[in-house]
Amino acid sequence: MSNRLHKEFLGKRIQSPLVLASGIMGISYSGMLKAIENGAGMVTTKSFTLEKRKGHDGPCVAEFSGGFINSMGLSNSGLKEELYEVEDFKAHSDAPVILSVFGTTAEEFITLTTIVNSSKADFLELNLSCPNVADEFGTPLSASKEIVSEIIKSVKLYAKIPVIAKLSPNTYNVGEIAIAAVDAGADALNLINTLGPGMIIDINARKPVILNKYGGISGPAIKPIAIKLVYEISRKVKIPILGTGGLISGNDVIEMLMAGASATGIGTGVYYRGIEVFNLINMEILQFMDEHEIENVNDIKPI
Ligand code: DHB
């Protein structure tokens, strides 16, 4: 990997600004490892919950002209059971790991945090924004700045590693919520989770394509929203932002860095271009840098 792409994120060196987004390569450590072997700088686990969850029955994922919708329903075996995936990953790679957790109350997030403290994860990501379980748990937590603040303050009392708050685009005041997260002590923000939920109807079958009817929208359709929010919020906060949302090419990543992100999440890009997407994007970034006589990726400054 060219050291022209090396970055620092919350004090850790990453070989590229590209971060495997949560839930993209399934649950097992081998998927995360493949992302690193193919040029990612850091990986994120699937969001784990306190208790085992079966998730939603399929079809859970569908493509449309602007990207994908998905409603996996947080399928996982429970945080304690899944921790060995992080340990196995760490036995094979020294790339940083973001451990993503999903809870519904401050107490639950505290319990999750104490379990995370016994792991080798480098960062704790609080998924405050999954749009696919509203029927069970109600509106995603990151719709409320009071709840975001309460959860982050609680977690920060216990967390031994830096805390990243992953926020939802599905509210009109994401800026205020981001500031509440920062004031509560978040070490970084991840902007954004999926948009929506949305729906796709199979007109021949006369029924929704996704069995659970609705799903979070990812892919190129949501990129301008992610860019706008990172641009707006990075001007107001001093902590690093992981910019995620519809980035599938080197130009997309450069756009996100120019919006103000410190590193960039890649999710749906893996579906479009395969696991090689990380190496392909790295090459495209280097090509842009050569064309513009930019020596180091850190010299791609926010506009
Ligand atoms: C799921 C979807 C999300 O957007 C998310 O942040 C976490 C989990 C899911 O459906 O499993």
Side-chain angles (χ1 to χ4, degrees), residues 138-198:
T139 309
L141 302 176
S142 75
S144 156
K145 58 184 178 192
E146 287 79 20
I147 296 175
V148 164
S149 176
E150 183 201 357
I151 289 172
I152 294 174
K153 278 183 188 156
S154 308
V155 164
K156 282 295 289 179
L157 290 175
Y158 293 87
K160 296 203 173 109
I161 52 176
V163 173
I164 305 169
K166 186 162 185 182
L167 302 183
S168 167
N170 305 320
T171 162
Y172 70 93
N173 58 345
V174 189
E176 277 176 35
I177 289 163
I179 287 168
V182 175
D183 290 346
D187 297 286
L189 300 174
N190 188 347
L191 303 171
I192 54 178
N193 206 319
T194 47
L195 182 72

Side-chain angles (χ1 to χ4, degrees), residues 67 188 239:
I239 62 174

Side-chain angles (χ1 to χ4, degrees), residues 62-78:
E63 190 173 2
F64 72 107
S65 56
F68 284 78
I69 74 170
N70 87 81
S71 183
M72 312 308 289
L74 288 161
S75 46
N76 75 104
S77 298

Side-chain angles (χ1 to χ4, degrees), residues 119-286:
S119 80
K120 293 199 170 89
D122 299 272
F123 305 115
L124 167 59
E125 181 166 281
L126 307 178
N127 179 353
L128 304 166
S129 47
C130 173
N132 293 338
V133 284
D135 50 344
E136 281 175 76
F137 303 126
T139 309
L141 302 176
S142 75
S144 156
K145 58 184 178 192
E146 287 79 20
I147 296 175
V148 164
S149 176
E150 183 201 357
I151 289 172
I152 294 174
K153 278 183 188 156
S154 308
V155 164
K156 282 295 289 179
L157 290 175
Y158 293 87
K160 296 203 173 109
I161 52 176
V163 173
I164 305 169
K166 186 162 185 182
L167 302 183
S168 167
N170 305 320
T171 162
Y172 70 93
N173 58 345
V174 189
E176 277 176 35
I177 289 163
I179 287 168
V182 175
D183 290 346
D187 297 286
L189 300 174
N190 188 347
L191 303 171
I192 54 178
N193 206 319
T194 47
L195 182 72
M199 180 176 184
I200 302 174
I201 295 171
D202 178 336
I203 57 171
N204 295 309
R206 296 187 55 81
K207 63 178 191 187
V209 175
I210 297 269
L211 188 72
N212 199 44
K213 292 190 187 165
Y214 316 134
I217 302 168
S218 64
I222 74 166
K223 190 187 76 171
I225 299 173
I227 296 285
K228 182 263 183 187
L229 287 169
V230 171
Y231 174 83
E232 176 197 345
I233 292 167
S234 64
R235 271 153 185 73
K236 296 185 183 153
V237 305
K238 292 201 165 62
I239 62 174
I241 297 180
L242 182 46
T244 309
L247 309 179
I248 62 174
S249 70
N251 284 354
D252 293 338
V253 167
I254 290 161
E255 193 180 346
M256 185 56 94
L257 295 173
M258 288 186 179
S262 299
T264 56
I266 307 294
T268 303
V270 177
Y271 295 122
Y272 283 113
R273 304 181 78 187
I275 194 68
E276 305 78 31
V277 68
F278 297 100
N279 276 328
L280 295 172
I281 294 179
N282 283 336
M283 283 188 315
E284 290 159 1
I285 298 172
L286 285 169

